[in-house]
Amino acid sequence: MSKATILAGIAVAITLMSGCGFKLRNDFQIADQFQKVRVQNATQKSPLTDVLIRRLAVYSAEVINQTHPKEHHQFQVPTLFILPEKLERRLLSLFPTGQVAEYELIYFCQYQVQMPSGDIRDFEFQLTREYQDDPDQVLAKSRELDLILAEMRRQAADRIIRQLSKTDNQN
Protein backbone atom coordinates (compact mmCIF):
# COMPACT_ATOMS: atom_id res chain seq x y z
CA MET A 1 0.00 0.00 0.00
CA SER A 2 1.21 3.46 -0.76
CA LYS A 3 1.33 6.35 1.69
CA ALA A 4 -1.33 8.18 -0.32
CA THR A 5 -3.75 5.25 0.05
CA ILE A 6 -3.15 5.05 3.81
CA LEU A 7 -3.61 8.81 4.26
CA ALA A 8 -6.80 8.74 2.16
CA GLY A 9 -8.13 5.90 4.35
CA ILE A 10 -7.37 7.82 7.52
CA ALA A 11 -9.05 10.94 6.11
CA VAL A 12 -12.19 8.96 5.22
CA ALA A 13 -12.28 7.37 8.70
CA ILE A 14 -11.96 10.76 10.43
CA THR A 15 -14.67 12.24 8.21
CA LEU A 16 -17.05 9.36 8.94
CA MET A 17 -16.41 9.53 12.69
CA SER A 18 -16.93 13.28 12.91
CA GLY A 19 -20.01 13.06 10.69
CA CYS A 20 -21.74 10.59 13.01
CA GLY A 21 -21.25 12.80 16.07
CA PHE A 22 -18.29 10.95 17.56
CA LYS A 23 -16.41 13.04 20.12
CA LEU A 24 -13.48 12.17 22.30
CA ARG A 25 -14.36 11.67 25.94
CA ASN A 26 -14.03 14.88 28.00
CA ASP A 27 -13.90 16.86 24.75
CA PHE A 28 -16.54 19.47 25.54
CA GLN A 29 -16.79 22.99 26.80
CA ILE A 30 -18.39 23.80 30.09
CA ALA A 31 -21.51 25.93 29.63
CA ASP A 32 -21.02 29.71 29.65
CA GLN A 33 -23.21 30.14 32.72
CA PHE A 34 -20.84 27.83 34.65
CA GLN A 35 -17.60 29.55 33.65
CA LYS A 36 -17.83 31.15 37.09
CA VAL A 37 -19.22 28.95 39.82
CA ARG A 38 -19.20 28.69 43.57
CA VAL A 39 -18.54 25.29 45.10
CA GLN A 40 -19.59 24.52 48.65
CA ASN A 41 -19.68 21.36 50.68
CA ALA A 42 -21.77 20.20 53.61
CA THR A 43 -18.80 19.05 55.67
CA GLN A 44 -15.67 20.79 56.86
CA LYS A 45 -13.37 18.65 54.70
CA SER A 46 -14.61 17.16 51.46
CA PRO A 47 -12.16 15.29 49.23
CA LEU A 48 -14.73 15.31 46.41
CA THR A 49 -14.99 19.10 46.57
CA ASP A 50 -11.19 19.39 46.34
CA VAL A 51 -11.12 17.12 43.28
CA LEU A 52 -14.04 18.96 41.69
CA ILE A 53 -12.32 22.34 42.07
CA ARG A 54 -9.16 20.95 40.41
CA ARG A 55 -11.19 19.40 37.58
CA LEU A 56 -13.12 22.66 37.00
CA ALA A 57 -9.78 24.40 36.53
CA VAL A 58 -8.99 21.97 33.70
CA TYR A 59 -12.06 23.34 31.88
CA SER A 60 -11.01 26.94 32.62
CA ALA A 61 -13.91 27.52 34.99
CA GLU A 62 -13.33 30.09 37.72
CA VAL A 63 -14.27 28.92 41.20
CA ILE A 64 -15.53 31.79 43.37
CA ASN A 65 -14.49 31.81 47.04
CA GLN A 66 -16.56 29.58 49.25
CA THR A 67 -18.78 31.28 51.81
CA HIS A 68 -21.48 30.30 54.23
CA PRO A 69 -24.32 28.46 52.40
CA LYS A 70 -26.98 31.01 53.44
CA GLU A 71 -25.07 33.84 51.76
CA HIS A 72 -25.34 32.43 48.22
CA HIS A 73 -28.06 34.88 47.18
CA GLN A 74 -25.44 37.65 47.13
CA PHE A 75 -23.70 36.18 44.10
CA GLN A 76 -24.87 36.17 40.51
CA VAL A 77 -23.14 32.89 39.77
CA PRO A 78 -24.42 29.32 40.10
CA THR A 79 -23.61 27.47 43.30
CA LEU A 80 -22.73 23.79 43.49
CA PHE A 81 -23.47 22.40 46.93
CA ILE A 82 -21.75 19.03 47.43
CA LEU A 83 -23.53 16.84 49.97
CA PRO A 84 -21.56 14.32 52.06
CA GLU A 85 -20.25 11.40 50.05
CA LYS A 86 -21.06 7.87 51.11
CA LEU A 87 -19.22 4.62 50.43
CA GLU A 88 -20.85 1.24 51.01
CA ARG A 89 -19.49 -2.27 50.60
CA ARG A 90 -21.53 -5.19 49.40
CA LEU A 91 -20.21 -8.69 49.92
CA LEU A 92 -19.65 -10.56 46.65
CA SER A 93 -17.69 -13.69 47.62
CA LEU A 94 -15.95 -15.48 50.47
CA PHE A 95 -12.80 -17.56 50.78
CA PRO A 96 -13.32 -21.21 51.84
CA THR A 97 -12.24 -20.11 55.33
CA GLY A 98 -15.20 -17.74 55.54
CA GLN A 99 -13.18 -14.54 55.17
CA VAL A 100 -14.34 -11.92 52.66
CA ALA A 101 -12.67 -12.37 49.26
CA GLU A 102 -14.44 -9.73 47.18
CA TYR A 103 -16.55 -6.62 47.73
CA GLU A 104 -18.52 -4.35 45.50
CA LEU A 105 -17.77 -0.75 46.45
CA ILE A 106 -20.71 1.61 45.94
CA TYR A 107 -19.89 5.33 45.96
CA PHE A 108 -22.91 7.61 46.37
CA CYS A 109 -22.72 11.23 45.26
CA GLN A 110 -25.38 13.88 45.84
CA TYR A 111 -25.22 17.54 44.96
CA GLN A 112 -27.40 20.55 44.26
CA VAL A 113 -27.08 23.27 41.67
CA GLN A 114 -28.56 26.63 42.59
CA MET A 115 -28.86 29.08 39.74
CA PRO A 116 -28.67 32.86 40.33
CA SER A 117 -32.44 32.98 39.73
CA GLY A 118 -32.89 30.85 42.86
CA ASP A 119 -33.88 27.65 41.05
CA ILE A 120 -32.42 24.60 42.78
CA ARG A 121 -31.91 21.24 41.10
CA ASP A 122 -30.96 18.08 42.97
CA PHE A 123 -28.74 15.42 41.43
CA GLU A 124 -27.52 12.05 42.64
CA PHE A 125 -25.75 9.08 41.16
CA GLN A 126 -23.64 6.14 42.20
CA LEU A 127 -20.45 4.56 40.93
CA THR A 128 -19.49 0.95 41.56
CA ARG A 129 -16.24 -1.01 41.55
CA GLU A 130 -15.28 -4.51 42.51
CA TYR A 131 -12.56 -4.84 45.11
CA GLN A 132 -10.74 -8.07 45.96
CA ASP A 133 -9.63 -8.37 49.54
CA ASP A 134 -6.59 -10.35 50.67
CA PRO A 135 -6.16 -10.76 54.43
CA ASP A 136 -2.47 -11.60 53.91
CA GLN A 137 -1.74 -8.21 52.32
CA VAL A 138 -3.63 -5.77 54.51
CA LEU A 139 -1.36 -2.75 53.94
CA ALA A 140 -1.25 -3.17 50.16
CA LYS A 141 -5.00 -3.63 49.99
CA SER A 142 -5.56 -0.57 52.16
CA ARG A 143 -3.49 1.50 49.72
CA GLU A 144 -5.35 -0.03 46.77
CA LEU A 145 -8.67 0.93 48.37
CA ASP A 146 -7.43 4.53 48.76
CA LEU A 147 -6.45 4.61 45.07
CA ILE A 148 -9.81 3.19 43.98
CA LEU A 149 -11.66 5.77 46.08
CA ALA A 150 -9.54 8.60 44.60
CA GLU A 151 -10.36 7.34 41.10
CA MET A 152 -14.06 7.18 41.95
CA ARG A 153 -13.96 10.79 43.22
CA ARG A 154 -12.26 11.91 40.00
CA GLN A 155 -14.94 10.14 37.96
CA ALA A 156 -17.66 11.69 40.13
CA ALA A 157 -16.19 15.18 39.59
CA ASP A 158 -16.07 14.60 35.82
CA ARG A 159 -19.67 13.38 35.87
CA ILE A 160 -20.77 16.49 37.77
CA ILE A 161 -19.03 18.68 35.19
CA ARG A 162 -20.69 16.78 32.31
CA GLN A 163 -24.04 17.23 34.05
CA LEU A 164 -23.40 20.98 34.28
CA SER A 165 -23.04 21.07 30.51
CA LYS A 166 -26.40 19.30 30.17
CA THR A 167 -28.02 21.55 32.79
CA ASP A 168 -27.42 24.56 30.52
CA ASN A 169 -29.48 22.92 27.77
CA GLN A 170 -32.36 22.07 30.09
CA ASN A 171 -32.81 25.48 31.72
Side-chain angles (χ1 to χ4, degrees):
M1 272 193 176
S2 69
K3 287 184 181 182
T5 307
I6 293 172
L7 289 175
I10 292 172
V12 168
I14 290 172
T15 303
L16 289 174
M17 288 175 69
S18 64
C20 73
F22 174 80
K23 286 181 12 175
L24 293 174
R25 179 174 259 182
N26 292 336
D27 182 31
F28 58 88
Q29 294 292 323
I30 200 162
D32 288 341
Q33 69 190 54
F34 293 106
Q35 286 298 317
K36 285 187 178 182
V37 66
R38 266 190 345 130
V39 179
Q40 296 182 315
N41 50 291
T43 58
Q44 188 72 356
K45 175 77 172 124
S46 170
L48 176 58
T49 301
D50 296 341
V51 172
L52 179 61
I53 289 170
R54 287 194 303 272
R55 297 299 295 157
L56 284 166
V58 169
Y59 295 100
S60 302
E62 179 184 349
V63 177
I64 306 300
N65 288 336
Q66 299 178 16
T67 60
H68 192 272
K70 296 185 188 222
E71 298 173 5
H72 56 74
H73 65 277
Q74 299 174 6
F75 296 96
Q76 294 303 310
V77 297
T79 300
L80 289 176
F81 190 70
I82 309 299
L83 298 168
E85 64 188 6
K86 188 168 65 169
L87 181 68
E88 291 183 2
R89 295 180 191 190
R90 189 171 63 107
L91 180 70
L92 292 180
S93 64
L94 297 171
F95 288 117
T97 61
Q99 292 179 310
V100 176
E102 190 176 22
Y103 289 107
E104 179 180 49
L105 300 173
I106 307 167
Y107 180 84
F108 294 93
C109 181
Q110 294 180 304
Y111 65 100
Q112 295 177 331
V113 177
Q114 180 169 10
M115 302 307 292
S117 64
D119 294 335
I120 297 176
R121 297 192 60 200
D122 294 319
F123 297 91
E124 64 180 49
F125 59 88
Q126 66 185 31
L127 302 171
T128 59
R129 291 284 180 285
E130 289 183 12
Y131 170 74
Q132 295 180 350
D133 201 6
D134 184 354
D136 296 330
Q137 297 182 6
V138 175
L139 289 177
K141 286 299 182 177
S142 175
R143 176 68 179 141
E144 180 183 355
L145 181 60
D146 290 344
L147 291 172
I148 291 171
L149 189 53
E151 177 187 335
M152 292 173 91
R153 285 185 182 119
R154 197 169 34 256
Q155 287 181 334
D158 286 341
R159 187 162 176 178
I160 290 169
I161 292 169
R162 281 193 308 274
Q163 186 65 49
L164 291 180
S165 295
K166 292 178 185 177
T167 299
D168 179 50
N169 298 332
Q170 295 171 356
N171 286 336

